[in-house]
């Protein structure tokens, strides 16, 4: 009997070498630890962890805390870089199991694809022709599997003028591939520091809040939201559907936004 696949997604931790450092009013490392503790209570069993970019705030020393937090995980920790990451350092520090940087991983009937949208000295992202071709090849080779595609930068508009200027630059080419491959069931990202859940051409598109500070949705200009740190749980079902919740951590307790499809 086929089993569902349970995932925990943490994004935009923005850690630095200083364990007490704060960013936009949130102490990043304690907030991440709080999210992990809440997730452990929520999911007694999970099959993998997703870390969808901006793990550090332009500081290679921050990867020490990523390794400390997740290095003893008994399940794969699937990572991809964001615009504040330092990919060379990321590959050096997180080179051994349980970490996997980019590429793909199969769980039951699902394939998780992790894309690298990092561009040097640019807050926006790009996949590029080579990686887009690789994505198409992976989707073609896994026609009989359900696929969840993960990246850092948003491939659809968020309705926020400033934020949509730093999204995925080759989003049209990416979306053409998604539309032409019906085995893509979901697309998942971070970067935007807020939650979004939408269906486009039958595909589930999901943005996940940061484990630190959030951005005000729909804002024309950069603005920090009052919402607390958050993370996402996902259950990938054998029939290709996705059950997901965004968990908001508030005053030491968690609140949830249920999203089922």
């Amino acid at each position: 009997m086929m089993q569902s696949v349970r995932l925990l997604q943490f994004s935009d931790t923005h850690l630095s070498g200083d364990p007490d450092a704060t960013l936009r009013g949130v102490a990043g490392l304690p907030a991440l630890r709080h999210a992990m503790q809440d997730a452990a209570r929520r999911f007694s069993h999970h099959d993998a962890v997703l870390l969808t970019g901006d793990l550090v705030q332009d500081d290679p020393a921050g990867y020490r805390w990523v390794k400390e937090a997740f290095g003893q995980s008994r399940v794969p920790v699937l990572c991809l870089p964001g615009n504040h990451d330092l990919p060379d350092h990321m590959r050096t520090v997180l080179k051994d199991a349980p970490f996997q940087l980019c590429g793909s991983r199969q769980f039951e009937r699902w394939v998780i694809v992790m894309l690298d949208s990092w561009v040097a000295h640019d807050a926006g992202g790009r996949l590029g022709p080579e990686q887009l071709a690789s994505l198409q090849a992976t989707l073609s080779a896994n026609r009989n599997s359900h696929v969840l595609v993960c990246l850092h930068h948003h491939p659809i508009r968020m309705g926020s003028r400033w934020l949509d200027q730093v999204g995925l630059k080759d989003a049209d080419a990416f979306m053409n591939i998604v539309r032409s491959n019906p085995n893509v069931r979901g697309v998942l990202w971070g970067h935007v520091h807020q939650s979004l859940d939408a269906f486009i051409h039958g595909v589930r598109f999901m943005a996940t809040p940061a484990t630190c500070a959030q951005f005000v949705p729909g804002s024309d200009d950069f603005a920090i939201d009052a919402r607390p740190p958050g993370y996402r749980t996902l259950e990938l079902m054998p029939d290709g559907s996705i059950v997901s919740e965004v968990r908001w951590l508030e005053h030491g307790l968690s609140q949830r936004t249920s999203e089922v499809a």
Side-chain angles (χ1 to χ4, degrees):
M1 181 178 179
M2 301 297 293
Q3 301 294 316
S4 63
V5 179
R6 288 183 167 187
L7 307 174
L8 300 175
Q9 182 198 8
F10 304 101
S11 197
D12 298 86
T13 55
H14 290 275
L15 301 176
S16 68
D18 180 357
D20 299 317
T22 62
L23 182 68
R24 303 185 182 101
V26 177
L29 185 57
L32 172 61
R33 288 171 173 167
H34 184 187
M36 293 174 66
Q37 290 165 1
D38 185 78
R41 289 191 296 267
R42 173 63 181 161
F43 267 10
S44 59
H45 164 75
H46 56 280
D47 298 288
V49 172
L50 293 171
L51 303 180
T52 47
D54 280 0
L55 306 187
V56 304
Q57 180 65 18
D58 308 302
D59 182 356
Y63 291 118
R64 167 193 173 186
W65 303 114
V66 178
K67 187 172 183 178
E68 180 184 274
F70 297 101
Q72 300 304 311
S73 173
R74 297 181 179 180
V75 299
V77 180
L78 310 179
C79 310
L80 53 86
N83 48 289
H84 285 284
D85 280 305
L86 304 156
D88 289 343
H89 293 278
M90 194 174 177
R91 282 189 289 267
T92 298
V93 179
L94 307 181
K95 65 182 185 335
D96 298 321
F99 299 102
Q100 177 181 333
L101 272 62
C102 298
S104 63
R105 188 97 174 208
Q106 182 144 15
F107 300 87
E108 297 287 345
R109 286 200 62 195
W110 283 83
V111 173
I112 314 299
V113 178
M114 295 154 288
L115 300 176
D116 179 357
S117 56
W118 181 87
V119 178
H121 312 298
D122 197 330
R126 187 185 304 277
L127 296 173
E130 184 176 338
Q131 195 169 190
L132 288 167
S134 177
L135 172 62
Q136 178 58 63
T138 298
L139 296 175
S140 297
N142 291 278
R143 289 293 185 198
N144 295 323
S145 297
H146 309 304
V147 180
L148 176 69
V149 180
C150 307
L151 68 167
H152 182 69
H153 292 86
H154 49 299
I156 63 174
R157 296 186 66 81
M158 297 295 299
S160 177
R161 185 177 63 185
W162 77 271
L163 197 52
D164 286 334
Q165 294 174 0
V166 292
L168 189 68
K169 298 178 187 298
D170 45 3
D172 288 346
F174 172 77
M175 291 295 287
N176 285 338
I177 291 174
V178 170
R179 281 193 294 267
S180 62
N181 289 273
N183 52 338
V184 177
R185 302 295 189 175
V187 178
L188 181 69
W189 64 93
H191 187 53
V192 296
H193 292 236
Q194 60 194 265
S195 176
L196 177 144
D197 192 279
F199 277 93
I200 302 175
H201 303 294
V203 178
R204 185 88 172 266
F205 286 79
M206 295 166 284
T208 296
T211 63
C212 62
Q214 314 303 342
F215 300 150
V216 174
S219 176
D220 283 345
D221 302 309
F222 177 85
I224 296 297
D225 200 359
R227 296 216 73 165
Y231 70 98
R232 182 183 287 275
T233 67
L234 301 104
E235 188 164 10
L236 311 180
M237 309 304 287
D239 66 357
S241 61
I242 300 171
V243 178
S244 184
E245 290 180 356
V246 168
R247 308 281 295 179
W248 301 96
L249 307 175
E250 200 147 23
H251 306 303
L253 301 174
S254 66
Q255 298 181 345
R256 67 182 182 179
T257 303
S258 296
E259 300 162 351
V260 181

